[in-house]
Amino acid sequence: MKKCLYAALSVTLLSACASKEKADLLVHHAVIYTADSMNTVAAAMVVKDGKVIAIGSNELVQGKFEADSVIDAKGAAIFPGFNDAHAHFFGYANSLRRVDLVGAKSWDEAVARVQDFAAKHPSAWILGRGWDQNDWEVKAFPDKSKLDSLFPNTPVLLERVDGHASIANQAALDAAGVKAGQTLIGGTVETKNGRLTGMLIDNADELVSSKIPAEPLEAIVASLEAAERNCISAGITSITDCGLNLPEVRLFDTLFAQQKLHLRLNVMLSDNEENINWLLQNGIYEKDRLLVRSVKFYGDGALGSRGACLKHDYTDRPGWKGFLLKDAGYFAGKAAQLAKTDIQMCTHAIGDSANSTILKIYAEVLKGKNDKRWRIEHAQVVDSIDFHWFGENNIVPSVQPTHATSDMYWAKDRLGPQRVKYAYAFNRLLRENGWLPLGTDFPVEHIDPLRTFYAAVARMDQAGFPAGGFQPENALSREDALKGMTIWAARASFEEDRKGSLEPGKVADFVVLSQDIMKVPAEKILATKVLATYIYGQALHRAGL
């Protein structure tokens, strides 16, 4: 009798095993934060043909599926691949070929880095980026005199960390024909006692940067591949690259076709007529890993270089309010034109005047509730009377949490004690629409998305300053911060139906972390390591899983 029972049981088990559905990858005994509408946390996940086909308990998934590759996650935390809603991927790749001035504690240190780089990388032009006078003991813009003495014949152009100011030496200014007293809309060529200091604010940078010789394609491609490796190793699987031109888009298209790049890119075209006309004529351009459906406009400059357009004078520079980079009528005309299309309008706005101007222009053509998802990039300083425009017209504030923790040391000096209360107001902005995409703005900030998460929830720097957080009333919950880096970032580019959460039918882009950032104490978040990054269910980075 027992033999018959065992035989029957064996047949049942063999039958059950034979009936299991085939898959490519099965992950079990994990803590999977799906970022779905219910904030579901699952234990196991199945991937086939690059997409999630099932997610649930260990028993359910292991009982129903078998896979060529099976991973016992041993309790590791898994999240949807991090989606950077505002960055400069192409610019970051460029920065890998230039002098790195990020973190220089003085102008002397910055110049020393330039000397060292020039000695190792001789070239026709010396280019660099990342200096920030706010990090120096003397918080004033530098002067070109040291660069002139060291490089009298080689053009030098060094971009400020925010990309809204540069310093050029005389050789670079001569190459561009820049003269003292030269004026232009939306920018400043700085002089002192009638002579050029070398400082070029906002649109003035283009006077010199437009003269930089083209670099070899091989070098550009190599730096793009290196940039992608860095991003993927940080857990990033998708990026919105803000402000490119058609040649860069075509290069991306070629590199994706050649399988030299693997990230997903949503590209915002810069607001020149060639780009806009191309998008108007051709419509939304979408391929497997490349999307082009939006135009990025530039409302004003940056707060750190005092180019942000404010309603009232800068507290630390009486008589100065900053400026719009173009006349308000330009933005109004483009908004009216694009409102008749499916093209997404996205506008950089930092100062409260710039935000107010662009919000009202948007509202005039959007006329209330809609699903066009027009965006304000940064929404950094918003007057208390202007927040309502976001919710009433479904305007999406696209914010970067690390800007708050980078700027908090001096933002009050720029804005004063009252106005600063409405700066970096992420929780207040979240309440307008109920969702909020998050980005880094790299290479202005570090590429690490865990710094975004930490800044959003803790509002502190890496040293834990200030105690209790900077304006902690505007901190985000961990659930909201995670969604801002995943499903809400996907929604901001109309891609929430295919990525951004780990649900059946969506792409299997996910990241495995060494710690559960939803549970560990805030001070331990930045100690988290990326164990693995998967795109389409393929491991493109592994460091311990």
Side-chain angles (χ1 to χ4, degrees), residues 263-292:
L263 285 163
R264 303 185 195 283
L265 289 180
N266 168 46
V267 173
M268 294 179 185
L269 293 175
S270 289
D271 66 326
N272 64 53
E273 291 304 312
E274 181 185 7
N275 291 338
I276 295 172
N277 288 336
W278 180 86
L279 199 51
L280 287 169
Q281 293 168 10
N282 294 280
I284 296 169
Y285 186 80
E286 185 171 9
K287 288 195 174 180
D288 183 39
R289 299 173 196 250
L290 179 63
L291 173 65
V292 185

Side-chain angles (χ1 to χ4, degrees), residues 66-200:
E66 62 179 358
D68 297 330
S69 178
V70 178
I71 296 175
D72 180 353
K74 302 184 186 305
I78 293 178
F79 300 85
F82 296 134
N83 186 340
D84 196 314
H86 182 112
H88 303 276
F89 178 66
F90 202 93
Y92 171 60
N94 286 342
S95 75
L96 300 180
R97 306 191 303 276
R98 299 176 180 178
V99 190
D100 181 6
L101 302 175
V102 174
K105 298 302 181 185
S106 66
W107 177 233
D108 285 343
E109 181 182 339
V111 172
R113 292 191 193 185
V114 174
Q115 286 180 278
D116 182 61
F117 182 89
K120 297 175 181 176
H121 306 89
S123 60
W125 280 62
I126 301 170
L127 306 174
R129 70 156 304 278
W131 61 269
D132 184 355
Q133 83 283 2
N134 293 310
D135 293 339
W136 305 341
E137 184 176 347
V138 179
K139 302 182 188 302
F141 280 147
D143 181 273
K144 66 182 177 66
S145 55
K146 288 184 179 179
L147 295 177
D148 289 344
S149 63
L150 292 168
F151 307 101
N153 302 311
T154 303
V156 180
L157 184 65
L158 308 176
E159 189 177 39
R160 191 180 181 276
V161 67
D162 58 15
H164 287 271
S166 298
I167 184 167
N169 70 343
Q170 191 60 47
L173 295 169
D174 289 343
V178 177
K179 304 295 183 183
Q182 189 168 342
T183 61
L184 70 163
I185 296 173
T188 303
V189 176
E190 291 214 340
T191 59
K192 186 175 182 179
N193 298 324
R195 63 175 287 275
L196 292 166
T197 68
M199 283 302 307
L200 306 166

